[in-house]
Amino acid sequence: MAASETELNAWRASAELHQKFLTGLILRAVAFKGAEAATELNFRTFRAQHLEKFLAGYKSLGLDKLPPAVACAQYIYLANHVGGVKCEFIPESDSKAWVRYLPPRWIWDGAAICAVPNDVSIAFMRGFHSQVGVSLGNPNLGFVCTAITTRVDPCLEGYFIEEDRPLVENERLRFRFDEQGPDVDPAKLPHVEWSEERMVKAKRNYAVQYIRSILPAAVSLLGEDEARKLGWETGRLIGMQCYDTTAAFTGVKGNDAPAFARYLATLLDAGGDGAEVDGATVCTRSWRMMADKQGVTPACFDAWNALWEGALAVHNRRLRLEVTSRMDKGADHWGWRIV
């Protein structure tokens, strides 16, 4: 059965909320933990993304039949395209293929890009792009970066290249800012013929996947208490900032407790967690985002739950969100009550 417009809008709201949460977590780390810690957080997030997603996606897209450098660049283009990221792909030869991330940069939404240090941008290439040769068992394969948006270049650009010799570790990611990539031929871009429903859901999954990676990465880097503090503060702020947009998407009316319960249930449903509503209480028996994910701790839930606390603060600042039941503490469901 095709998704209704209500379901599509709920997926759009979920994508919006989790995209902003990702950006907020990195910026909050830059501001309060320092650029070095934020760089490491971004590196761990994208390395986790690579290890969890790259090989499976590479094979499912049928890219193992292409030359490795071309296949890697096409993977980047396809994965980002379905996630709503503005990206280009230009194969130059069987051993060299370009990718270009164009503004507006999805991860550094709006004015956020002004606060992102170059090293934080570089960290995502160290985490993901430099690892492709290792993952594919091809020691000759690496990535060369030729432009970085946060360096005030017009894009983030580079190419995957298969050399005629094995690369040592510090050669898997190199920088050649004196090079420029060729222009893209739109007619030669791989065509993604998906329905609107599939594309909207893919954009939601794309955003949510990053939160699945970054919250455990924050715990591994900062420890439980500091990760909880960073995540809780960010979640509250993003929940507040995004409430108007997400509430409009969900179509929830009113500012009483039952109205917020319906809002919360709609967003939980949009994440794949079937929610039950009874007046001002909500429950679900899953947390699909973190299913089977290593390194998930109570701090991860507390950070994510702060999104709903922040949203409630704008919905009605005199109401409070109570967590009444937690599966990470042995209960058979997650439960909330608005009081």
Side-chain angles (χ1 to χ4, degrees), residues 64-323:
D64 49 345
K65 301 175 182 62
L66 297 174
V70 175
C72 289
Q74 190 164 320
Y75 172 91
I76 293 293
Y77 170 76
L78 291 171
N80 284 280
H81 178 72
V82 299
V85 177
K86 197 175 177 184
C87 191
E88 294 176 347
F89 155 67
I90 310 103
E92 186 173 318
S93 68
D94 281 354
S95 61
K96 183 178 180 182
W98 293 78
V99 290
R100 184 175 295 125
Y101 300 83
L102 297 164
R105 296 294 307 281
W106 180 91
I107 189 171
W108 313 134
D109 187 57
I113 196 165
C114 297
V116 180
N118 284 331
D119 285 347
V120 175
S121 280
I122 291 168
F124 102 91
M125 292 181 282
R126 287 197 296 114
F128 202 103
H129 298 59
S130 73
Q131 190 69 7
V132 294
V134 176
S135 295
L136 294 174
N138 185 340
N140 296 17
L141 187 61
F143 187 76
V144 176
C145 174
T146 60
I148 303 175
T149 323
T150 51
R151 217 176 66 114
V152 204
D153 295 329
C155 59
L156 190 148
E157 173 189 86
Y159 54 86
F160 291 97
I161 186 162
E162 187 175 19
E163 306 281 13
D164 57 5
R165 61 175 179 83
L167 301 174
V168 298
E169 185 174 355
N170 65 3
E171 292 181 307
R172 294 173 190 160
L173 174 64
R174 289 164 287 171
F175 299 90
R176 293 177 184 162
F177 295 122
D178 59 336
E179 296 187 36
Q180 284 190 349
D183 291 336
V184 70
D185 182 350
K188 293 183 179 179
L189 288 174
H191 184 57
V192 181
E193 192 170 346
W194 283 6
S195 67
E196 181 186 22
E197 176 180 336
R198 191 174 179 189
M199 286 295 289
V200 172
K201 184 180 281 190
K203 290 178 181 179
R204 177 210 64 184
N205 292 344
Y206 186 87
V208 166
Q209 180 68 31
Y210 281 106
I211 303 307
R212 174 178 167 87
S213 295
I214 196 170
L215 291 180
V219 172
S220 72
L221 175 65
L222 303 173
E224 184 80 352
D225 292 341
E226 287 301 305
R228 176 183 286 108
K229 184 176 188 294
L230 178 77
W232 182 85
E233 291 172 349
T234 305
R236 288 271 302 193
L237 289 168
I238 297 301
M240 290 189 287
Q241 287 288 88
C242 290
Y243 175 73
D244 280 2
T245 302
T246 54
F249 272 129
T250 62
V252 170
K253 304 296 184 183
N255 72 336
D256 59 6
F260 189 81
R262 293 192 297 274
Y263 167 89
L264 175 56
T266 300
L267 269 296
L268 293 173
D269 282 336
D273 300 306
E276 302 169 20
V277 182
D278 182 8
T281 65
V282 180
C283 75
T284 183
R285 300 185 185 279
S286 65
W287 189 19
R288 186 171 176 265
M289 176 193 295
M290 293 296 179
D292 303 317
K293 177 70 176 178
Q294 297 297 312
V296 178
T297 70
C300 296
F301 175 80
D302 293 338
W304 177 74
N305 186 65
L307 291 169
W308 318 125
E309 295 181 19
L312 181 57
V314 175
H315 175 86
N316 185 328
R317 69 182 184 278
R318 303 196 184 282
L319 297 176
R320 182 166 49 87
L321 186 67
E322 288 185 349
V323 178

